[in-house]
C-alpha cells in the first residue's frame, strides 16, 4: 500500500475540483470535434459521387434522404414551433443551402488541398465578425491561436501543393464566409434560442431542400436527382448515406446544439480542425502521404486549437 505524505495529502484535499462550467464546455466541445472529423471525411466522399453535372442532384438526394425520418420522428415537436421560430429556422436553412452550393461546386472545381485550406479561414472570419457585431476587439490570445492553426493548415496541405486561386477557390472562400454567417445567425436570432434543436434542424434541411429542388427544376442545371440516383452503385450509395446522415443530419444538429451552449468563436475554432481530419482520411483511405512539413502542420493545428479553446473560454 502506498502511503501519501501528509503535506501532499493536504494539498490534494485543498485542490479545487474541476469547475462545472469547464466540464460542460468539454461536453459541448467533443460533439463539435466529432463534426469536424466527419466533415473532414466528406471531401473524399463528395468527390467520389459528385461531378459538375450532378452537384444539385446529389444535394437534393443528400438532404431529402434524412428529411422524412426527421419529420416522422419529431412531428409533434415540429408542430410546436412558433411562427417566429419557423421563420428564423427557414432563414438559417436558406443560408445553409447557399453554403452547400458554394462548397460542393467549389470542391468539384478545385483540389481538396485548396478547399481544406480556404475553408479553415472560417475560424478567422467568425471571431472577427462576432467582434464587429459586439463592437469588441477579439483577444490577442485568440487571434494568435487562430494564426497558429492556419499556419498548421498551410503546412499540412503543402504536400499536394497550393495552386493559384481559381473559380473553385473563390467559391470555397464564399462558403467560408457563408459558414461564418450561419454560425453567427444561430447565435443572434432570438426566436430560435429556446426552440427544440431537432425541430430547427428539420426546418433548416427542409428549406435547403426547397432551394435545391427549385434549382433542379430549372433547365440547364445538370442531371435530375432521379437520373443521378439511377447511375449510383453500392459505393456511391454508401457515400451518399455518409454525407446525408453524418455530415448533414448529425453535423448541423450538433452545431446548433453547441453554439447555444458555448460561443460561435469556440465552435468555429473546433470546426477549423476539419482539414486535419481531411488529411487523415486521405492518408488512411486515399493513400496520401505526409512529409515533415505535414507532420509539423498537424502539431500546429492541434496546439492552436487547444490554445484557442482556452482563449475563447
Amino acid at each position: 500500500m502506498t502511503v501519501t505524505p501528509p503535506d501532499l495529502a493536504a494539498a490534494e484535499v485543498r485542490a479545487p475540483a474541476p469547475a462545472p462550467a469547464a466540464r460542460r464546455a468539454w461536453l459541448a466541445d467533443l460533439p463539435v470535434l466529432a463534426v469536424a472529423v466527419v466533415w473532414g471525411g466528406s471531401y473524399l466522399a463528395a468527390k467520389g459521387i459528385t461531378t459538375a453535372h450532378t452537384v444539385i442532384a446529389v444535394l437534393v438526394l443528400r438532404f431529402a434522404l434524412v428529411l422524412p425520418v426527421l419529420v416522422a420522428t419529431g412531428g409533434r415537436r415540429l408542430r410546436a414551433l412558433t411562427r417566429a421560430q419557423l421563420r428564423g429556422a427557414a432563414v438559417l436553412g436558406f443560408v445553409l443551402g447557399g453554403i452547400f452550393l458554394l462548397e460542393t461546386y467549389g470542391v468539384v472545381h478545385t483540389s481538396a488541398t485548396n478547399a481544406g485550406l480556404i475553408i479553415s479561414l472560417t475560424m478567422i472570419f467568425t471571431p472577427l465578425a462576432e467582434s464587429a457585431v459586439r463592437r469588441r476587439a477579439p483577444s490577442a490570445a485568440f487571434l494568435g491561436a487562430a494564426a497558429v492553426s492556419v499556419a498548421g493548415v498551410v503546412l499540412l496541405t503543402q504536400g499536394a501543393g497550393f495552386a493559384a486561386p481559381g473559380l473553385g477557390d473563390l467559391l470555397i472562400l464564399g462558403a467560408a464566409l457563408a459558414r461564418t454567417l450561419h454560425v453567427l445567425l444561430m447565435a443572434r436570432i432570438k426566436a430560435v434560442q429556446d426552440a427544440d434543436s431537432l425541430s430547427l434542424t428539420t426546418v433548416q434541411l427542409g428549406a435547403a431542400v426547397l432551394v435545391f429542388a427549385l434549382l433542379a427544376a430549372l433547365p440547364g442545371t445538370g442531371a435530375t436527382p432521379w437520373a443521378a440516383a439511377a447511375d449510383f452503385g453500392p459505393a456511391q450509395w454508401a457515400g451518399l448515406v455518409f454525407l446525408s446522415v453524418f455530415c448533414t443530419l448529425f453535423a448541423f444538429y450538433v452545431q446548433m446544439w453547441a453554439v447555444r451552449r458555448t460561443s460561435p468563436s469556440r465552435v468555429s475554432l473546433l470546426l477549423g480542425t476539419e482539414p486535419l481530419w481531411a488529411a487523415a482520411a486521405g492518408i488512411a483511405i486515399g493513400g496520401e502521404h505526409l512529409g515533415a512539413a505535414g507532420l509539423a502542420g498537424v502539431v500546429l493545428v492541434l496546439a492552436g486549437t487547444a490554445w484557442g479553446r482556452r482563449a475563447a473560454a
Side-chain angles (χ1 to χ4, degrees):
M1 183 176 68
T2 301
V3 178
T4 304
D7 55 341
L8 181 57
E12 290 176 347
V13 170
R14 291 192 299 269
R23 287 197 295 269
R24 288 195 297 270
W26 270 110
L27 290 175
D29 287 349
L30 290 177
V32 177
L33 190 60
V35 170
V37 173
V38 298
W39 273 354
S42 69
Y43 290 105
L44 280 177
K47 279 190 170 292
I49 66 174
T50 311
T51 67
H53 189 62
T54 62
V55 167
I56 294 176
V58 168
L59 287 173
V60 171
L61 294 171
R62 173 177 177 175
F63 280 62
L65 194 64
V66 295
L67 192 57
V69 177
L70 286 173
V71 173
T73 57
R76 180 176 299 178
R77 286 178 290 179
L78 191 60
R79 289 191 295 271
L81 292 177
T82 66
R83 289 185 179 181
Q85 290 169 337
L86 286 170
R87 286 194 299 269
V91 169
L92 293 174
F94 294 141
V95 176
L96 179 62
I99 292 171
F100 276 94
L101 285 169
L102 290 166
E103 194 171 74
T104 308
Y105 273 115
V107 168
V108 168
H109 290 290
T110 190
S111 67
T113 297
N114 282 24
L117 175 60
I118 297 168
I119 278 292
S120 71
L121 295 177
T122 303
M123 64 183 171
I124 292 291
F125 297 154
T126 301
L128 291 177
E130 188 179 15
S131 298
V133 170
R134 296 183 176 183
R135 297 182 180 180
R136 184 177 63 192
S139 70
F142 187 90
L143 291 179
V148 169
S149 295
V150 170
V153 170
V154 172
L155 290 176
L156 184 64
T157 57
Q158 283 308 291
F162 185 77
L167 173 62
D169 301 314
L170 295 176
L171 291 172
I172 295 294
L173 180 63
L177 291 168
R179 279 193 185 191
T180 298
L181 176 61
H182 189 261
V183 173
L184 290 178
L185 286 176
M186 283 192 291
R188 301 288 295 183
I189 297 178
K190 296 185 182 299
V192 304
Q193 295 303 305
D194 300 321
D196 175 64
S197 294
L198 181 62
S199 299
L200 294 177
T201 301
T202 302
V203 176
Q204 281 194 80
L205 297 188
V209 168
L210 177 61
V211 171
F212 303 146
L214 291 174
L215 290 175
L218 297 176
T221 54
T224 66
W226 329 116
D231 290 336
F232 278 0
Q236 286 75 30
W237 277 109
L240 182 65
V241 169
F242 173 73
L243 289 171
S244 182
V245 175
F246 292 98
C247 302
T248 304
L249 175 61
F250 168 75
F252 285 96
Y253 176 80
V254 167
Q255 190 179 14
M256 175 160 284
W257 171 84
V259 79
R260 293 184 292 176
R261 288 162 175 80
T262 175
S263 71
S265 297
R266 193 177 179 114
V267 170
S268 180
L269 192 71
L270 288 167
L271 294 179
T273 64
E274 178 184 331
L276 173 64
W277 307 114
I283 293 170
I285 302 173
E288 298 177 0
H289 301 281
L290 282 179
L295 293 175
V298 170
V299 173
L300 287 178
V301 169
L302 293 176
T305 302
W307 181 18
R309 286 183 65 256
R310 291 194 295 269

PDB file of all heavy atoms in Angstrom, residues 188-208:
ATOM      1  N   ARG A 188     -27.528  34.707 -32.959  1.00  0.00           N
ATOM      2  CA  ARG A 188     -28.126  36.034 -32.876  1.00  0.00           C
ATOM      3  C   ARG A 188     -29.636  36.055 -33.063  1.00  0.00           C
ATOM      4  O   ARG A 188     -30.298  36.979 -32.597  1.00  0.00           O
ATOM      5  CB  ARG A 188     -27.488  36.950 -33.935  1.00  0.00           C
ATOM      6  CG  ARG A 188     -25.990  37.117 -33.817  1.00  0.00           C
ATOM      7  CD  ARG A 188     -25.572  37.950 -32.642  1.00  0.00           C
ATOM      8  NE  ARG A 188     -26.025  39.324 -32.750  1.00  0.00           N
ATOM      9  CZ  ARG A 188     -25.735  40.264 -31.873  1.00  0.00           C
ATOM     10  NH1 ARG A 188     -24.995  39.975 -30.809  1.00  0.00           N
ATOM     11  NH2 ARG A 188     -26.190  41.491 -32.017  1.00  0.00           N
ATOM     12  N   ILE A 189     -30.207  35.057 -33.772  1.00  0.00           N
ATOM     13  CA  ILE A 189     -31.661  35.058 -33.992  1.00  0.00           C
ATOM     14  C   ILE A 189     -32.342  34.609 -32.700  1.00  0.00           C
ATOM     15  O   ILE A 189     -32.285  33.440 -32.323  1.00  0.00           O
ATOM     16  CB  ILE A 189     -32.050  34.140 -35.162  1.00  0.00           C
ATOM     17  CG1 ILE A 189     -31.427  34.657 -36.466  1.00  0.00           C
ATOM     18  CG2 ILE A 189     -33.568  34.069 -35.306  1.00  0.00           C
ATOM     19  CD1 ILE A 189     -31.713  33.785 -37.671  1.00  0.00           C
ATOM     20  N   LYS A 190     -32.972  35.541 -32.021  1.00  0.00           N
ATOM     21  CA  LYS A 190     -33.521  35.258 -30.695  1.00  0.00           C
ATOM     22  C   LYS A 190     -34.637  34.221 -30.749  1.00  0.00           C
ATOM     23  O   LYS A 190     -34.823  33.451 -29.802  1.00  0.00           O
ATOM     24  CB  LYS A 190     -34.032  36.553 -30.057  1.00  0.00           C
ATOM     25  CG  LYS A 190     -32.936  37.581 -29.787  1.00  0.00           C
ATOM     26  CD  LYS A 190     -33.483  38.780 -29.056  1.00  0.00           C
ATOM     27  CE  LYS A 190     -32.404  39.833 -28.821  1.00  0.00           C
ATOM     28  NZ  LYS A 190     -31.304  39.301 -27.997  1.00  0.00           N
ATOM     29  N   ALA A 191     -35.384  34.183 -31.822  1.00  0.00           N
ATOM     30  CA  ALA A 191     -36.533  33.286 -31.892  1.00  0.00           C
ATOM     31  C   ALA A 191     -36.140  31.818 -31.809  1.00  0.00           C
ATOM     32  O   ALA A 191     -36.936  30.988 -31.367  1.00  0.00           O
ATOM     33  CB  ALA A 191     -37.308  33.536 -33.188  1.00  0.00           C
ATOM     34  N   VAL A 192     -34.905  31.484 -32.223  1.00  0.00           N
ATOM     35  CA  VAL A 192     -34.512  30.071 -32.240  1.00  0.00           C
ATOM     36  C   VAL A 192     -33.729  29.666 -30.996  1.00  0.00           C
ATOM     37  O   VAL A 192     -33.374  28.493 -30.852  1.00  0.00           O
ATOM     38  CB  VAL A 192     -33.674  29.761 -33.501  1.00  0.00           C
ATOM     39  CG1 VAL A 192     -34.427  30.132 -34.760  1.00  0.00           C
ATOM     40  CG2 VAL A 192     -32.319  30.456 -33.459  1.00  0.00           C
ATOM     41  N   GLN A 193     -33.487  30.608 -30.094  1.00  0.00           N
ATOM     42  CA  GLN A 193     -32.609  30.307 -28.971  1.00  0.00           C
ATOM     43  C   GLN A 193     -33.143  29.204 -28.069  1.00  0.00           C
ATOM     44  O   GLN A 193     -32.394  28.342 -27.615  1.00  0.00           O
ATOM     45  CB  GLN A 193     -32.362  31.578 -28.137  1.00  0.00           C
ATOM     46  CG  GLN A 193     -31.614  32.663 -28.871  1.00  0.00           C
ATOM     47  CD  GLN A 193     -30.275  32.190 -29.405  1.00  0.00           C
ATOM     48  OE1 GLN A 193     -29.445  31.685 -28.668  1.00  0.00           O
ATOM     49  NE2 GLN A 193     -30.075  32.347 -30.707  1.00  0.00           N
ATOM     50  N   ASP A 194     -34.428  29.209 -27.795  1.00  0.00           N
ATOM     51  CA  ASP A 194     -35.006  28.235 -26.866  1.00  0.00           C
ATOM     52  C   ASP A 194     -35.808  27.145 -27.561  1.00  0.00           C
ATOM     53  O   ASP A 194     -36.485  26.356 -26.901  1.00  0.00           O
ATOM     54  CB  ASP A 194     -35.903  28.956 -25.845  1.00  0.00           C
ATOM     55  CG  ASP A 194     -35.127  29.975 -25.021  1.00  0.00           C
ATOM     56  OD1 ASP A 194     -33.971  29.680 -24.666  1.00  0.00           O
ATOM     57  OD2 ASP A 194     -35.680  31.052 -24.745  1.00  0.00           O
ATOM     58  N   ALA A 195     -35.742  27.082 -28.861  1.00  0.00           N
ATOM     59  CA  ALA A 195     -36.529  26.097 -29.614  1.00  0.00           C
ATOM     60  C   ALA A 195     -35.826  24.746 -29.618  1.00  0.00           C
ATOM     61  O   ALA A 195     -34.618  24.641 -29.386  1.00  0.00           O
ATOM     62  CB  ALA A 195     -36.757  26.583 -31.040  1.00  0.00           C
ATOM     63  N   ASP A 196     -36.589  23.705 -29.891  1.00  0.00           N
ATOM     64  CA  ASP A 196     -36.059  22.356 -29.949  1.00  0.00           C
ATOM     65  C   ASP A 196     -35.059  22.234 -31.092  1.00  0.00           C
ATOM     66  O   ASP A 196     -35.360  22.588 -32.244  1.00  0.00           O
ATOM     67  CB  ASP A 196     -37.221  21.372 -30.146  1.00  0.00           C
ATOM     68  CG  ASP A 196     -36.745  19.954 -30.347  1.00  0.00           C
ATOM     69  OD1 ASP A 196     -36.135  19.400 -29.415  1.00  0.00           O
ATOM     70  OD2 ASP A 196     -36.986  19.409 -31.437  1.00  0.00           O
ATOM     71  N   SER A 197     -33.850  21.710 -30.798  1.00  0.00           N
ATOM     72  CA  SER A 197     -32.783  21.640 -31.799  1.00  0.00           C
ATOM     73  C   SER A 197     -33.148  20.731 -32.963  1.00  0.00           C
ATOM     74  O   SER A 197     -32.854  21.041 -34.127  1.00  0.00           O
ATOM     75  CB  SER A 197     -31.480  21.154 -31.145  1.00  0.00           C
ATOM     76  OG  SER A 197     -30.996  22.086 -30.220  1.00  0.00           O
ATOM     77  N   LEU A 198     -33.790  19.597 -32.683  1.00  0.00           N
ATOM     78  CA  LEU A 198     -34.159  18.676 -33.755  1.00  0.00           C
ATOM     79  C   LEU A 198     -35.166  19.311 -34.705  1.00  0.00           C
ATOM     80  O   LEU A 198     -35.057  19.178 -35.927  1.00  0.00           O
ATOM     81  CB  LEU A 198     -34.725  17.385 -33.168  1.00  0.00           C
ATOM     82  CG  LEU A 198     -35.138  16.313 -34.176  1.00  0.00           C
ATOM     83  CD1 LEU A 198     -33.943  15.857 -34.987  1.00  0.00           C
ATOM     84  CD2 LEU A 198     -35.789  15.124 -33.465  1.00  0.00           C
ATOM     85  N   SER A 199     -36.138  20.027 -34.150  1.00  0.00           N
ATOM     86  CA  SER A 199     -37.139  20.682 -34.993  1.00  0.00           C
ATOM     87  C   SER A 199     -36.506  21.775 -35.845  1.00  0.00           C
ATOM     88  O   SER A 199     -36.836  21.916 -37.032  1.00  0.00           O
ATOM     89  CB  SER A 199     -38.249  21.278 -34.117  1.00  0.00           C
ATOM     90  OG  SER A 199     -38.902  20.270 -33.379  1.00  0.00           O
ATOM     91  N   LEU A 200     -35.602  22.545 -35.259  1.00  0.00           N
ATOM     92  CA  LEU A 200     -34.928  23.594 -36.011  1.00  0.00           C
ATOM     93  C   LEU A 200     -34.081  23.003 -37.133  1.00  0.00           C
ATOM     94  O   LEU A 200     -34.014  23.542 -38.236  1.00  0.00           O
ATOM     95  CB  LEU A 200     -34.057  24.435 -35.076  1.00  0.00           C
ATOM     96  CG  LEU A 200     -34.799  25.267 -34.029  1.00  0.00           C
ATOM     97  CD1 LEU A 200     -33.801  25.989 -33.137  1.00  0.00           C
ATOM     98  CD2 LEU A 200     -35.733  26.264 -34.692  1.00  0.00           C
ATOM     99  N   THR A 201     -33.405  21.884 -36.850  1.00  0.00           N
ATOM    100  CA  THR A 201     -32.619  21.216 -37.882  1.00  0.00           C
ATOM    101  C   THR A 201     -33.514  20.741 -39.017  1.00  0.00           C
ATOM    102  O   THR A 201     -33.162  20.859 -40.199  1.00  0.00           O
ATOM    103  CB  THR A 201     -31.851  20.025 -37.278  1.00  0.00           C
ATOM    104  OG1 THR A 201     -30.989  20.491 -36.235  1.00  0.00           O
ATOM    105  CG2 THR A 201     -31.009  19.319 -38.330  1.00  0.00           C
ATOM    106  N   THR A 202     -34.694  20.207 -38.674  1.00  0.00           N
ATOM    107  CA  THR A 202     -35.637  19.729 -39.696  1.00  0.00           C
ATOM    108  C   THR A 202     -36.073  20.860 -40.610  1.00  0.00           C
ATOM    109  O   THR A 202     -36.111  20.714 -41.840  1.00  0.00           O
ATOM    110  CB  THR A 202     -36.860  19.096 -39.019  1.00  0.00           C
ATOM    111  OG1 THR A 202     -36.441  18.030 -38.167  1.00  0.00           O
ATOM    112  CG2 THR A 202     -37.830  18.547 -40.052  1.00  0.00           C
ATOM    113  N   VAL A 203     -36.422  21.997 -40.023  1.00  0.00           N
ATOM    114  CA  VAL A 203     -36.855  23.143 -40.831  1.00  0.00           C
ATOM    115  C   VAL A 203     -35.708  23.643 -41.704  1.00  0.00           C
ATOM    116  O   VAL A 203     -35.904  23.982 -42.890  1.00  0.00           O
ATOM    117  CB  VAL A 203     -37.388  24.269 -39.932  1.00  0.00           C
ATOM    118  CG1 VAL A 203     -37.747  25.502 -40.768  1.00  0.00           C
ATOM    119  CG2 VAL A 203     -38.608  23.796 -39.149  1.00  0.00           C
ATOM    120  N   GLN A 204     -34.501  23.686 -41.146  1.00  0.00           N
ATOM    121  CA  GLN A 204     -33.348  24.118 -41.938  1.00  0.00           C
ATOM    122  C   GLN A 204     -33.128  23.226 -43.147  1.00  0.00           C
ATOM    123  O   GLN A 204     -32.954  23.708 -44.275  1.00  0.00           O
ATOM    124  CB  GLN A 204     -32.082  24.102 -41.074  1.00  0.00           C
ATOM    125  CG  GLN A 204     -31.926  25.277 -40.141  1.00  0.00           C
ATOM    126  CD  GLN A 204     -30.515  25.335 -39.594  1.00  0.00           C
ATOM    127  OE1 GLN A 204     -29.602  25.811 -40.266  1.00  0.00           O
ATOM    128  NE2 GLN A 204     -30.325  24.840 -38.386  1.00  0.00           N
ATOM    129  N   LEU A 205     -33.122  21.922 -42.920  1.00  0.00           N
ATOM    130  CA  LEU A 205     -32.901  20.992 -44.027  1.00  0.00           C
ATOM    131  C   LEU A 205     -34.036  21.086 -45.049  1.00  0.00           C
ATOM    132  O   LEU A 205     -33.802  20.982 -46.254  1.00  0.00           O
ATOM    133  CB  LEU A 205     -32.769  19.569 -43.502  1.00  0.00           C
ATOM    134  CG  LEU A 205     -31.578  19.284 -42.574  1.00  0.00           C
ATOM    135  CD1 LEU A 205     -31.472  17.798 -42.286  1.00  0.00           C
ATOM    136  CD2 LEU A 205     -30.280  19.802 -43.166  1.00  0.00           C
ATOM    137  N   GLY A 206     -35.276  21.284 -44.559  1.00  0.00           N
ATOM    138  CA  GLY A 206     -36.399  21.424 -45.479  1.00  0.00           C
ATOM    139  C   GLY A 206     -36.253  22.652 -46.358  1.00  0.00           C
ATOM    140  O   GLY A 206     -36.533  22.608 -47.570  1.00  0.00           O
ATOM    141  N   ALA A 207     -35.824  23.770 -45.762  1.00  0.00           N
ATOM    142  CA  ALA A 207     -35.628  24.995 -46.548  1.00  0.00           C
ATOM    143  C   ALA A 207     -34.516  24.808 -47.571  1.00  0.00           C
ATOM    144  O   ALA A 207     -34.613  25.270 -48.721  1.00  0.00           O
ATOM    145  CB  ALA A 207     -35.301  26.161 -45.620  1.00  0.00           C
ATOM    146  N   ALA A 208     -33.434  24.120 -47.173  1.00  0.00           N
ATOM    147  CA  ALA A 208     -32.331  23.881 -48.105  1.00  0.00           C
ATOM    148  C   ALA A 208     -32.772  22.967 -49.253  1.00  0.00           C
ATOM    149  O   ALA A 208     -32.436  23.216 -50.418  1.00  0.00           O
ATOM    150  CB  ALA A 208     -31.150  23.262 -47.367  1.00  0.00           C
TER     151      ALA A 208
END
